[in-house]
Amino acid sequence: MFIGRLLQISRGSLTRSIHVSAKYNQAMGIDGNNILAESLKRQGIEYVFGIVGIPVIETSMAFQSVGIKYVGMRNEQAAAYAAQAIGYLTGKPGVCLAVSGPGLLHCIGGMANAQVNCWPLLVIAGSCPEDHEGIGGFQEWLQVESSRPYCKYAVRPPSPKLIPLHVERAVRSACAGRPGVAYLDMPATLLTAEVDEEKVPLNFYNAGPITLAHPDPALVDRAADVLAKAERPLVIVGKGAAYGRAEESVRKLVETTKIPFLPTPMGKGVVPDASPYCVSTARTQALLKADVVVLLGARLNWMLHFGQVPRFAPDVKVIQVDISPEEFHNSIKSEVAVHSDIRPFTEALTQKLASKKYSLQPSSAWWKALNEKQKKNTEFVEAQANDKSVPLNYYAVFKTVQASIPKDSIIVSEGANTMDIGRGLLLNNQPRHRLDAGTFGTMGVGPGFAVAAAMWCRDYAPTKRVICVEGDSAFGFSGMEIETMFRYKLPVIIVIVNNSGIYSGFDKEMMKDIQESGDVAQCTPPTALSSEVRYEKMMEMFGCSGHLCRTVEEIETAVKAAIKVTDRPSIINILINPQANRKPQTFNWLTESKL
């Protein structure tokens, strides 16, 4: 009501006052803005992230008037990242609201990321008035056509009366099967057009919860037979299992069969990282030597080296379970390909293996080999993590952060070494508690993801904390979303692991010598950033102080202080050795092309 009484928007000579409680005129007309808002509300949409301007200012107000939460961001790309993250966390699409032309184009990176990541996202953008199209309208662009390559569904409703129909289709398309992106184009003339409320089907069909897809029992039997004959079985848990809320059934499968498992980065926590059956510290060995792999909601793409040699055995048998049959036999032929949601499949497989009295003994040769490799790899990591010499290395930083944060924290992470090394040391014991650059490897997602996670925590898990662990390069993409966090009082703890570069940087003296050796643009290494940038001083823009850390003790003190803050974000800037690196790799991190 307060906003509705105060906000006035001028349209030419006509000034209209937006009253949140008065959506309809005396003739019981309803305009496109309010039809859109009501339609989204009735389809269960809870959150909108965006940036307003002509022609969607009134649209955002209409969203708030029906009880949808609107979060104003600082960049449309970050808004798209936030909306897709809330979709992953809730299972219902988040909405990204953008203005026309450049506003929508800024969203394209976020749309592609959601489509590749298989997260539900609905993008709504205003567009120029239909009577201005083709004659150089303000921010005119072919928006539906531009969006279509990155979407499952892209449309402009042809009339206000059909907005509810297309909202329902967009929401359903974003969620059904393999989740993805839907786009709705809303010209200014459509948003302001008024029609008789009685002629608008606001209670248009709502599909309700999507029924789980159950597996063919014959394929479950075949998968159980293949697995029972394996000498070196391995379960790989992907983020599809996390999105599918399959944690209970997957945990039961692992715990009753005692088969070792590996999580993909965002499959972490479906089965706890702390589980004795987790073999992440022997990942290379597990992938290379497994003779049967059960793939639960993960894809054999670059993150799993395409399932190919030299990272996998040439005769490995894959039991592939996915909601999307298009994914089957993508890079290698699967032994068993099961079209199913993860939960009903794992429940059926567990029952079938129990009937066979199947259990992999801890004394087996497979478990002995994995345990030996885990011990060897852990010794290296522990030696690095216990090295407190200054400047610090990554392992010492992550060990200290892990020991200092609440164990049920949602961890957001991005960067090169920061994200990769952090996956092994920052543990997740609950599902959907890790958000990172994901399948598309997108940098700049962190602050947007963190905003969404903090909003989710506020509404559904108020005692949880969000820890946003950023490389200094990655933070630079979307760092101004710190203002969004302040505005909405989101207590995100931002930890910047600052090595003064992309992959690696240089100390102050070396950087000075480099830049004085000739033309700066020719001499400065492309991976270098400014040395020891004081990112924590961004807090001073808001009348607060950040934390600069160089030692383990300073990190412990800073994290402890940040956890006490519950009404605003914190920044902890940790300066590390610019040349710090990861553990030497047995193979190149990316499987080479065979061409």
Side-chain angles (χ1 to χ4, degrees), residues 415-567:
N417 291 337
T418 296
M419 182 174 62
D420 292 341
I421 298 172
R423 285 169 177 160
L425 288 137
L426 299 175
L427 304 182
N428 295 101
N429 292 317
Q430 297 183 36
R432 299 172 298 281
H433 277 53
R434 183 180 176 89
L435 305 169
D436 69 19
T439 309
F440 211 27
T442 307
M443 292 296 105
V445 297
F449 283 2
V451 166
M455 289 295 296
W456 180 86
C457 287
R458 176 180 291 174
D459 292 338
Y460 293 100
T463 62
K464 287 187 187 293
R465 298 305 299 269
V466 177
I467 316 297
C468 184
V469 184
E470 300 274 307
D472 51 329
S473 171
F475 181 71
F477 284 78
S478 305
M480 271 312 298
E481 297 302 333
I482 186 74
E483 188 275 328
T484 305
M485 297 175 192
F486 263 98
R487 191 167 8 114
Y488 291 95
K489 299 182 178 181
L490 302 175
V492 176
I493 299 174
I494 300 174
V495 177
I496 301 173
V497 185
N498 187 349
N499 72 341
S500 303
I502 304 170
Y503 301 109
S504 62
F506 300 90
D507 60 33
K508 281 186 175 181
E509 291 74 18
M510 179 67 75
M511 194 64 179
K512 181 180 178 182
D513 291 344
I514 289 172
Q515 292 184 316
E516 290 178 351
S517 63
D519 184 280
V520 175
Q522 289 183 317
C523 296
T524 303
T527 61
L529 299 174
S530 298
S531 299
E532 299 191 359
V533 174
R534 300 293 298 275
Y535 296 104
E536 82 284 354
K537 287 186 173 291
M538 292 179 70
M539 297 289 291
E540 296 178 10
M541 297 189 295
F542 308 96
C544 302
S545 298
H547 306 272
L548 178 68
C549 303
R550 298 178 187 270
T551 68
V552 163
E553 292 75 18
E554 289 172 343
I555 296 172
E556 292 171 340
T557 300
V559 174
K560 183 177 180 180
I563 289 173
K564 293 179 180 178
V565 177
T566 59
D567 62 348

Side-chain angles (χ1 to χ4, degrees), residues 151-167:
C151 293
K152 295 176 66 179
Y153 182 74
V155 71
R156 171 189 289 182
S159 73
K161 296 177 184 179
L162 291 176
I163 289 174
L165 180 152
H166 289 288
V167 166

Side-chain angles (χ1 to χ4, degrees), residues 180-259:
V181 185
Y183 172 66
L184 291 178
D185 192 64
M186 305 297 292
T189 41
L190 182 65
L191 292 171
T192 58
E194 292 189 354
V195 295
D196 187 340
E197 180 191 353
E198 293 181 354
K199 296 181 180 180
V200 179
L202 289 173
N203 287 319
F204 191 79
Y205 172 69
N206 188 325
I210 296 173
T211 302
L212 291 179
H214 285 253
D216 181 341
L219 292 177
V220 176
D221 291 346
R222 187 176 169 197
D225 289 341
V226 171
L227 192 57
K229 295 174 183 177
E231 295 181 0
R232 299 178 302 280
L234 178 69
V235 172
I236 298 179
V237 182
K239 71 173 177 288
Y243 180 79
R245 274 62 179 170
E247 52 268 19
E248 290 186 14
S249 61
V250 176
R251 290 179 184 187
K252 186 174 181 180
L253 172 67
V254 170
E255 290 166 1
T256 57
T257 64
K258 299 178 174 56
I259 297 175

Side-chain angles (χ1 to χ4, degrees), residues 263-308:
T264 64
M266 277 187 281
K268 285 163 59 70
V270 172
V271 184
D273 285 343
S275 167
Y277 307 111
C278 181
V279 291
S280 290
T281 51
R283 183 180 190 271
T284 298
Q285 179 87 348
L287 295 178
L288 181 61
K289 298 298 183 180
D291 59 354
V292 173
V293 170
V294 183
L295 201 64
L296 300 177
R299 289 172 281 179
L300 289 177
N301 55 21
W302 68 273
M303 297 184 80
L304 287 173
H305 315 289
F306 315 108
Q308 298 175 354

Side-chain angles (χ1 to χ4, degrees), residues 63-382:
F63 291 164
Q64 290 180 320
S65 75
V66 298
I68 294 173
K69 295 180 181 180
Y70 177 83
V71 179
M73 306 287 285
R74 299 304 302 265
N75 181 285
E76 289 93 352
Q77 225 175 37
Y81 296 145
Q84 64 194 259
I86 207 73
Y88 174 66
L89 292 170
T90 65
K92 200 73 171 176
V95 173
C96 175
L97 179 67
V99 300
S100 49
L104 173 66
L105 290 173
H106 286 173
C107 295
I108 293 294
M111 294 165 74
N113 188 71
Q115 189 75 349
V116 173
N117 249 7
C118 306
W119 286 359
L121 168 67
L122 172 55
V123 176
I124 299 174
S127 54
C128 81
E130 291 167 289
D131 55 336
H132 290 180
E133 290 181 339
I135 57 174
F138 175 66
Q139 295 184 330
E140 180 183 357
W141 189 254
L142 296 173
Q143 297 186 188
V144 175
E145 293 86 344
S146 297
S147 302
R148 191 164 281 128
Y150 314 99
C151 293
K152 295 176 66 179
Y153 182 74
V155 71
R156 171 189 289 182
S159 73
K161 296 177 184 179
L162 291 176
I163 289 174
L165 180 152
H166 289 288
V167 166
E168 188 278 331
R169 289 195 64 181
V171 171
R172 178 158 45 91
S173 296
C175 295
R178 174 181 285 181
V181 185
Y183 172 66
L184 291 178
D185 192 64
M186 305 297 292
T189 41
L190 182 65
L191 292 171
T192 58
E194 292 189 354
V195 295
D196 187 340
E197 180 191 353
E198 293 181 354
K199 296 181 180 180
V200 179
L202 289 173
N203 287 319
F204 191 79
Y205 172 69
N206 188 325
I210 296 173
T211 302
L212 291 179
H214 285 253
D216 181 341
L219 292 177
V220 176
D221 291 346
R222 187 176 169 197
D225 289 341
V226 171
L227 192 57
K229 295 174 183 177
E231 295 181 0
R232 299 178 302 280
L234 178 69
V235 172
I236 298 179
V237 182
K239 71 173 177 288
Y243 180 79
R245 274 62 179 170
E247 52 268 19
E248 290 186 14
S249 61
V250 176
R251 290 179 184 187
K252 186 174 181 180
L253 172 67
V254 170
E255 290 166 1
T256 57
T257 64
K258 299 178 174 56
I259 297 175
F261 80 93
L262 284 174
T264 64
M266 277 187 281
K268 285 163 59 70
V270 172
V271 184
D273 285 343
S275 167
Y277 307 111
C278 181
V279 291
S280 290
T281 51
R283 183 180 190 271
T284 298
Q285 179 87 348
L287 295 178
L288 181 61
K289 298 298 183 180
D291 59 354
V292 173
V293 170
V294 183
L295 201 64
L296 300 177
R299 289 172 281 179
L300 289 177
N301 55 21
W302 68 273
M303 297 184 80
L304 287 173
H305 315 289
F306 315 108
Q308 298 175 354
V309 294
R311 301 302 294 263
F312 284 75
D315 57 350
V316 65
K317 296 179 179 179
V318 175
I319 300 167
Q320 187 176 13
V321 187
D322 205 288
I323 194 61
S324 175
E326 294 90 342
E327 192 61 38
F328 295 153
H329 319 297
N330 185 45
S331 54
I332 64 170
K333 185 178 184 300
S334 297
E335 185 73 14
V336 186
V338 186
H339 180 211
S340 173
D341 277 284
I342 303 301
R343 191 196 316 168
F345 172 82
T346 50
E347 289 172 349
L349 181 62
T350 301
Q351 291 176 3
K352 180 59 64 173
L353 290 172
S355 70
K356 293 176 177 287
K357 298 182 179 180
Y358 173 85
S359 179
L360 185 66
Q361 297 303 309
S363 59
S364 67
W366 180 224
W367 263 119
K368 286 182 178 179
L370 291 173
N371 287 335
E372 288 174 6
K373 192 65 175 179
Q374 287 190 96
K375 181 180 179 182
K376 181 179 179 180
N377 289 344
T378 300
E379 287 173 353
F380 171 87
V381 171
E382 288 182 349

